[in-house]
Amino acid sequence: MTCSDPTRTVPVADTVVPDGRPGAIPTALALATGTAVLVSAEFVPAGVLPLLADDLHVTEGRAGLAVAATALAGAITAPTIASVLPRADRRRVLLGLLMLALVSNLVVALAPSLPVLLAGRVLLGVAIAGFWSFTFGVGVAVTERPALVSTAMSLGTSVATIIGVPLASVLGDVIGWRAVFALLIAATAASGLVLARLLPPVPAHPGAGAAMMRQALGNRRLIAGVAMIALAAFANFAAYPYIRVALQAVTPSLVTVLLLAWGIGGLVGNLVGGWLSTRLRIGVVAAPAVLFVGLVLMAAHPSTVVVALAVLAWGTGFNMVPVTTQLWVSRAEPNRVEAAVSLQVTAFQAAITLGAVLGGLIVDHRDVWAAMAVGAGLAGLAAVGFAAVRLVPRED
């Protein structure tokens, strides 16, 4: 099949094309590896938070800024990076962003103090925001299969939460949190090699840049949806950086198992989100609604069994949010997908920043259960808000 637009790559078959290049599924999975290492790096502090805080002599609430700093940099970067790199080959951009993440993890692994660590985490925020902003458009340009690309990216997120955070928690106790970040350096390098091998060159969209973003910002339904995305992400990240603190308070011996349950819920949420790709109106409402249920149960924490159900629902609900909302914004603004996804990323990263800061204040001045309750309330509002926003593709 040949694309009429000469700036686009040729879409590929599922496994391999006649000239031997990787097909749609390997290409999507290659992008997923990058997503996996970046998400692992972003949220590893949640798995080693007590160790990190103790080593740097700060409170757990302040240590949670390791997540907030990354997200703040991402929120600033996501809507502007396409304007800075309007014509750059997207393959080279993605590889450069992975190398930036590698440098970030190196700075964090060697950081002697919290300010230095936060500086390293800012670099990671730039890498994550840029990678997420470009990856969906790159994947769709190569494969012409949006649901496959979105599901693969969310699969990378799920792998990170199923393996990355629980494994970081276990390894942090055994080898130390700094060694965990050293392992992330190796994983990031390996991901870059995979992407370099499997991803073909991808020219930038002809309309990429500031003009595309201004036009996307004029879509009122898109902006309303982005606001609900921010609310759902805010709900999650007011609580998530402190998940290990909460689990240790309930059942210290089962922390790793329950973190794994959160990750398994994430895998379920990823698959359900992909299944709902043809029912996005339902999907974007169901995701924060399930998150609401999980956080309500978590805030109540009457027993270990209820906490186990809570983290499973929590992981399921939150991990439905990225895949369903990514497809939602791309369908709301089909001619400006790169800009629409950048706004989704901005919403996520800004919400992570504010959520982590607010959650840290609540944890330090109240307790971790109050943070869970605040998250639950915000998730409920996001579900109601999405139910009120119609998904109407913009035609122009």
Side-chain angles (χ1 to χ4, degrees):
M1 177 178 178
T2 303
C3 294
S4 59
D5 184 346
T7 64
R8 297 178 64 190
T9 57
V10 177
V12 296
D14 279 354
T15 56
V16 68
V17 292
D19 65 2
R21 289 185 294 108
I25 293 175
T27 299
L29 291 177
L31 294 171
T33 64
T35 303
V37 296
L38 290 173
V39 173
S40 293
E42 184 168 19
F43 298 130
V44 155
V48 298
L49 195 67
L51 302 173
L52 189 155
D54 183 64
D55 188 29
L56 297 180
H57 308 293
V58 296
T59 67
E60 290 172 344
R62 288 191 66 199
L65 293 176
V67 175
T70 299
L72 178 60
I76 295 170
T77 302
T80 58
I81 191 167
S83 299
V84 175
L85 302 167
R87 299 291 176 264
D89 180 274
R90 295 322 192 207
R91 175 179 181 268
R92 292 183 179 180
V93 171
L94 293 182
L95 291 173
L97 291 168
L98 283 176
M99 292 306 100
L100 184 62
L102 187 152
V103 172
S104 163
N105 291 328
L106 178 61
V107 171
V108 171
L110 300 176
S113 64
L114 184 62
V116 175
L117 182 144
L118 295 180
R121 298 291 291 176
V122 165
L123 297 179
L124 181 67
V126 174
I128 290 172
F131 199 91
W132 271 97
S133 295
F134 293 131
T135 299
F136 184 74
V138 167
V140 172
V142 174
T143 69
E144 291 195 346
R145 296 179 61 180
L148 171 66
V149 175
S150 186
T151 301
M153 291 174 65
S154 293
L155 177 63
T157 301
S158 296
V159 168
T161 52
I162 292 171
I163 299 175
V165 175
L167 184 61
S169 180
V170 173
L171 289 177
D173 290 337
V174 176
I175 63 176
W177 68 271
R178 294 180 187 275
V180 171
F181 278 93
L183 292 176
L184 280 171
I185 294 171
T188 305
S191 174
L193 292 174
V194 170
L195 205 63
R197 172 67 180 84
L198 297 181
L199 187 66
V202 183
H205 188 284
M212 178 188 282
M213 180 60 69
R214 286 195 299 268
Q215 291 165 345
L217 288 169
N219 185 336
R220 289 180 294 178
R221 285 195 176 91
L222 173 65
I223 298 306
V226 167
M228 293 307 104
I229 294 168
L231 198 56
F234 194 115
N236 182 75
F237 290 103
Y240 186 74
Y242 313 102
I243 186 171
R244 178 168 175 173
V245 177
L247 296 178
Q248 282 185 323
V250 176
T251 173
S253 63
L254 296 177
V255 168
T256 302
V257 173
L258 292 175
L259 286 173
L260 180 61
W262 194 98
I264 291 172
L267 179 59
V268 172
N270 170 51
L271 296 175
V272 172
W275 177 70
L276 289 172
S277 62
T278 57
R279 305 172 182 83
L280 287 179
R281 183 75 186 275
I282 296 173
V284 294
V285 174
V290 176
L291 175 60
F292 166 79
V293 171
L295 288 173
V296 165
L297 292 175
M298 196 72 185
H301 68 281
S303 67
T304 300
V305 172
V306 171
V307 168
L309 293 173
V311 295
L312 189 63
W314 182 359
T316 300
F318 177 68
N319 284 276
M320 288 173 65
V321 173
V323 62
T324 56
T325 60
Q326 187 174 67
L327 292 168
W328 193 96
V329 298
S330 66
R331 195 166 298 175
E333 192 59 85
N335 296 320
R336 302 175 185 87
V337 170
E338 195 171 272
V341 173
S342 293
L343 290 173
Q344 183 220 23
V345 174
T346 300
F348 258 89
Q349 299 300 327
I352 292 171
T353 303
L354 296 174
V357 171
L358 176 63
L361 291 172
I362 294 172
V363 169
D364 283 348
H365 294 284
R366 287 285 302 278
D367 56 42
V368 71
W369 311 114
M372 304 292 161
V374 168
L378 295 171
L381 289 175
V384 172
F386 257 126
V389 179
R390 292 179 60 205
L391 176 56
V392 179
R394 184 177 181 179
E395 298 179 0
D396 54 19

